[in-house]
Amino acid sequence: MAYIYSLPTSASFTGKGLVGYTFGPLSQKDVELYYVEVKKGHDVFMISKKITRTYYILSGSGYFTIGGHKYNVGPGMLIEVPPKIEYCYSGRMTLIAFSKPRWFSGNDTFTKWNADVVGQDLAYRTDGGSLLTRLVRVRLFGKSPVNAFLRLNQRIWDNLPSSLAVLSAVRLCGDFSHKVARMQVRSQAFATLFLRNRPELELIRRLLERTAKGGHLRVTVLGCSTGAEAYSVAWKIRSARPDIKLTLRAVDISKQAVEFAKCGMYSIASSQLTDTQIFEAVTPSEMEELFHRNGDTVTVKSWIKEGIEWHVGDVGEPEVIDGLGPQDIVVANNFLCHMDPPSAEMCLRNIARLVSPNGYVFVSGIDLDVRTKVARDLGWVPLEELLEEVHEGDPYLRRYWPGRYAGLEPLNKKRADWRIRYAAAFQFVPRVISSLTLCNEELGGGSERSEWVPVLSGDGNSNHPMDAN
Ligand SMILES: C[S@@+](CC[C@H](N)C(=O)[O-])C[C@H]1O[C@@H](n2cnc3c(N)ncnc32)[C@H](O)[C@@H]1O
């Protein structure tokens, strides 16, 4: 039996604003002890289901926010945080932390980002904004009148006969509600599910048809959360083209999410970190194909999981993107909508640098104005194949319009720019090639480029990166 424990030589966990070491395992099975060096703070606010956490400040200073109250802390102080209360901490300090019982998957619910760690832009903007924005965020006795308005609108919209929903005046009302919804405070979430957008996976499969036998394909999934999307993409590619050498990287800003994803182990009984039914879209036969099952736990099969590289990083930071190197396919879904539009635009422009010439980017779950602007500016060519199916393909996004900021507006072909606005997949064509496939008007009129490469045309002129290998 061990009596003396030393600090492990390498960190047991790191976050954007801290690094931690776990002692043991101790012989007391119901206790876990950590040494934590806090540089900025814990990156998310959380609510513990069962664990009581006790912190002792060895040095430095900072503050704990517990149940909405702020407590300044310094050396020699002990902080006890019981379950079921929202808390977080910020500062520059060294701590000893006790968990009783030990940490277990599913204990923590993350409620919002800590702005001290991830920055105001990512967490949310609480400062200023237009008068209308501030009005939209007003609270009366803790309740938001605008939320009530949006919920009512959503209910009306959900029950509207489709013959009425297409009328211009009705659509305008929906557009207005969604504009209001987009002014609300945004916060990140881990929500994800397996096979979330089937037409998108099918489009990826079709792109592979142009890949030479035995070729090499580089794919990166950004904002991967607990891994469902990266595993879905790996499954699609590896089952369609086992001959291809696939390098798949997946990145998320959250250390917890990446650790979870890396394990590839999920509970059927509980939604764990994500708060979504992650198997909702998976059929029983696909469950058998994707997972090994042991009671209530499933594990991603090794032929799918093998070789995926998992990274913790903020994809808004240029160094993180530079570290990944050029990619043939970049998937950036459902995290840019949680940023305010200027931050999302900056982040998407940074992500764009990842896409190799003639490579593809899949980006959904983002304000359509932001995506359209970046696509136009960078000369991305919208893929027309399966455009409408991919747009309709994510049940969550379509269901959330118009009442929630993450909702996706119904495709409207009356718009002159509908192809570029509603495409979620684009090809990055860095130079003018031959035939005209899209009219300039759709791509923003005054664009300097006058001709665009045909997309998925199979015309034999391809210089697709996947063909080259
Ligand atoms: C709603 S989940 C989406 C998961 C998955 N992409 C999907 O579509 O199912 C958003 C994820 O993006 C991550 N994220 C948010 N901002 C990020 C950033 N700047 N860099 C990397 N990941 C980020 C969050 O931690 C979260 O896990």
Side-chain angles (χ1 to χ4, degrees), residues 188-192 196 223 225 229 252-253 313-315 333-335:
Q188 282 290 348
F190 292 114
T192 189
R196 181 170 186 160
S225 185
E229 190 179 31
D252 201 280
I253 198 169
D314 177 350
V315 300
N333 287 336
N334 303 313
F335 61 94

Side-chain angles (χ1 to χ4, degrees), residues 64-75:
F64 275 67
T65 308
I66 307 173
H69 296 281
K70 190 172 157 181
Y71 303 92
N72 291 323
V73 296

Side-chain angles (χ1 to χ4, degrees), residues 260-280:
F260 203 100
K262 209 188 275 182
C263 287
M265 202 184 279
Y266 302 89
S267 160
I268 293 197
S270 95
S271 57
Q272 297 161 305
L273 215 60
T274 64
D275 239 8
T276 35
Q277 300 299 320
I278 57 169
F279 304 114
E280 185 182 304

Side-chain angles (χ1 to χ4, degrees), residues 49-64:
K49 207 176 273 171
K50 292 211 173 114
I51 295 172
T52 295
R53 290 195 174 98
T54 310
Y55 298 86
Y56 179 75
I57 317 286
L58 294 171
S59 63
S61 63
Y63 66 92
F64 275 67

Side-chain angles (χ1 to χ4, degrees), residues 430-450:
R431 61 197 170 86
V432 175
I433 309 185
S434 55
S435 55
L436 188 76
T437 54
L438 292 165
C439 65
N440 258 346
E441 198 185 327
E442 281 181 11
L443 292 164
S447 166
E448 282 163 25
R449 295 161 200 265
S450 59

